[in-house]
Amino acid sequence: QTAWRERNPSARIKAAKEAIALNVECATAYILLAEEEALDIADAEVKFKEAFRIAETNYRRSQQLQHQNQLMESQHRRDTNVMIYIRRRLAMCARKLGRLKEAVKMFKDLAKEVPPIMNVLNIHENLLECLLEMGNYADVQAVLAKYDDISLPKSAAICYTAALLKARSVADKFSADVAGKRGLTVQEMAAVEAIHRAVEFNPHVPKYLLEMKPLILPPEHILKRGDSEAISYAFYHLTHWKRVDGALNLLHCTWEGTFRLLPYPLEKGHLFYPYPSCTECADRELLPTFHEVSVYPKKELPFFILFTAGLCSFTALLALLTHQYPDSMGVIARTILNWVAAPLHFILEKADSVLPTSLLHILSKM
C-alpha cells in the first residue's frame, strides 16, 4: 500500500521492491514493477506472468477459507480483483505484441467473469478493439449486440463502433451530392442516425477522427462523454475508421447535423441524458496543460444579433455617462462634431475655389 500511495515513480519502485523483500508472494508489488519499471512490453509481460502465478496461488488459498469469517471473504474478493486485473494486463500485452488471437481469447474468457470489477475494467471495449484490428466484423457485431443495450452503460467505443459498422455497408458508395438530389436510402439513413447517436454521446470525437484537432497520447484516466474519452477512443480506433473506405467521408458530411437535433443539449438530450456541463473542468485536470481542451460545440450567433447587442450596449453606456457627467459629455460631443465637420468644411472651401461662382449660386437656390 505504501508503494501505491507514493507520487514519485522511483519511490514507488523502491517501496515495491522492499515489499517483495518482506513478502515474496506480494502480487501487487509485481504489478507495480511491471507498470513502472519495465523497459518494454515484453519485459512487462514477464513481470505480469510472475504476478499472475502468485495471484493465482493466493486466490486458490483464499477461496478455500472465504466462508470462515468476513475478513477472509474480503481477502478473497481482493485476490479475485487482483487476478482479474493481471489477466487483463496480460491480454493487453499480447495485443501490443501482435498476438491478436491469444488476446481475443483472453478477453473473451475475462468477459465471462461476473465480479463488480468487470463493470469498471470495460473488458468488452478491449475485445472490440482487438476484433476490429483482426477485421472480424461479425464478432464485433455479436459483442455489440450483447453490450449495446439500453439498460447498460454506454461509451464512445460502443457508440462509434456501432456507427462504423453501419457506415461500412454504405460508405464506399456514398456521395453527398447524389444523396442530396435523390435522398438517403434506408441503409444510409441508418448509418447517419448511428453517427448522430454517437456524436450526441460524445461530440468531441469527430474532430480527432477527421484530424481537425491534433491527437495526443491518451491520459491514464478518462471521463465519459468528455474530451479525454474522445482522445482515448480516437488514439486506438482512428486506424479502424481509415481502413473502411469512405467511412471518414460519411462522418465528415453528417456529424454536424447532430447539433440541429439538439437545440438545447445541456437541458434536454435526444437519445441520452443532457450533456453534462462539468466535463470541461474535469478534462482540464486529466489532460496536459499544453492541450487545448475541446469544449462542447456552441452555435455561433449571427452577426446582426451581435451588432445589435453591441450597439444597444454602447447607447446605454452613452446615456449613463451623459446623465452622470452632462458637462464633460457635452464638451466631448462638441469636440467629436468639430472633428467630423472639419473635413466637410475643407471640402466645401476647395469646391468654392475651384467651381465657378455662378454654378455655386445656382446650386444654392436648388
Side-chain angles (χ1 to χ4, degrees), residues 351-352 355-366:
D352 187 37
L355 295 176
T357 306
S358 58
L359 180 60
L360 292 175
H361 182 69
I362 294 172
L363 292 174
S364 65
K365 292 182 177 180
M366 291 178 64

Side-chain angles (χ1 to χ4, degrees), residues 59-336:
Y59 170 79
R60 290 176 179 174
R61 184 187 303 125
S62 61
Q63 187 178 31
Q64 297 174 353
L65 305 174
Q66 63 175 317
H67 301 295
Q68 289 186 1
N69 52 53
Q70 190 173 1
L71 181 62
M72 296 306 300
E73 184 180 355
S74 176
Q75 179 66 32
H76 178 64
R77 284 199 302 269
R78 178 182 178 278
D79 291 339
T80 302
N81 292 340
V82 169
M83 189 172 68
I84 290 175
Y85 181 88
I86 296 172
R87 288 171 61 188
R88 178 175 181 248
R89 286 299 196 187
L90 283 171
M92 293 170 72
C93 289
R95 160 69 183 92
K96 290 293 185 182
L97 293 172
R99 305 197 303 268
L100 294 176
K101 290 185 177 180
E102 180 184 344
V104 166
K105 182 180 183 305
M106 296 172 74
F107 283 130
K108 284 184 175 180
D109 291 341
L110 277 171
K112 298 175 184 177
E113 303 287 347
V114 292
I117 193 176
M118 300 304 294
N119 296 328
V120 179
L121 295 178
N122 293 324
I123 302 296
H124 56 280
E125 295 185 14
N126 296 106
L127 178 58
L128 284 173
E129 200 278 325
C130 284
L131 292 172
L132 286 170
E133 182 65 23
M134 294 174 65
N136 194 341
Y137 295 105
D139 283 355
V140 172
Q141 185 63 59
V143 174
L144 288 176
K146 182 178 180 181
Y147 291 99
D148 193 7
D149 187 83
I150 192 171
S151 62
L152 296 176
K154 297 295 181 291
S155 66
I158 288 179
C159 294
Y160 279 90
T161 301
L164 176 61
L165 290 192
K166 293 286 180 65
R168 179 173 170 266
S169 60
V170 298
D172 57 336
K173 300 177 182 177
F174 179 79
S175 172
D177 295 334
V178 175
K181 294 177 181 178
R182 62 165 170 76
L184 296 173
T185 64
V186 176
Q187 288 183 320
E188 289 174 344
M189 182 62 72
V192 171
E193 288 176 353
I195 290 175
H196 287 176
R197 170 178 177 260
V199 174
E200 180 185 353
F201 182 84
N202 193 319
H204 310 291
V205 173
K207 286 190 176 182
Y208 293 108
L209 291 179
L210 297 172
E211 299 181 80
M212 298 166 65
K213 284 198 66 176
L215 193 59
I216 63 172
L217 288 173
E220 185 177 359
H221 304 284
I222 64 170
L223 179 68
K224 288 289 183 69
R225 304 188 74 176
D227 190 31
S228 53
E229 184 192 31
I231 292 172
S232 180
Y233 173 80
F235 185 85
Y236 293 108
H237 289 264
L238 177 58
T239 55
H240 308 319
W241 279 81
K242 287 184 175 181
R243 191 177 298 161
V244 177
D245 291 337
L248 290 175
N249 176 52
L250 179 60
L251 179 67
H252 174 73
C253 294
T254 58
W255 75 278
E256 290 181 323
T258 309
F259 307 124
R260 291 194 291 271
L261 304 174
L262 302 167
Y264 306 103
L266 300 179
E267 301 173 9
K268 184 180 180 181
H270 181 59
L271 297 174
F272 301 100
Y273 287 109
Y275 188 82
S277 58
C278 60
T279 57
E280 182 181 355
C281 295
D283 279 329
R284 290 191 188 281
E285 295 182 4
L286 294 172
L287 295 168
T289 54
F290 64 82
H291 174 71
E292 182 183 352
V293 175
S294 177
V295 182
Y296 188 86
K298 297 180 177 64
K299 288 186 176 180
E300 294 183 358
L301 293 175
F303 173 76
F304 176 74
I305 295 178
L306 296 175
F307 176 76
T308 305
L311 184 61
C312 291
S313 301
F314 181 69
T315 305
L317 180 62
L318 286 179
L320 178 62
L321 292 174
T322 304
H323 178 73
Q324 293 290 333
Y325 312 103
D327 296 336
S328 301
M329 290 301 294
V331 173
I332 294 173
R334 283 192 293 272
T335 304
I336 293 175

Side-chain angles (χ1 to χ4, degrees), residues 335-346:
T335 304
I336 293 175
L337 287 176
N338 290 332
W339 287 348
V340 173
L344 295 176
H345 287 303
F346 178 77

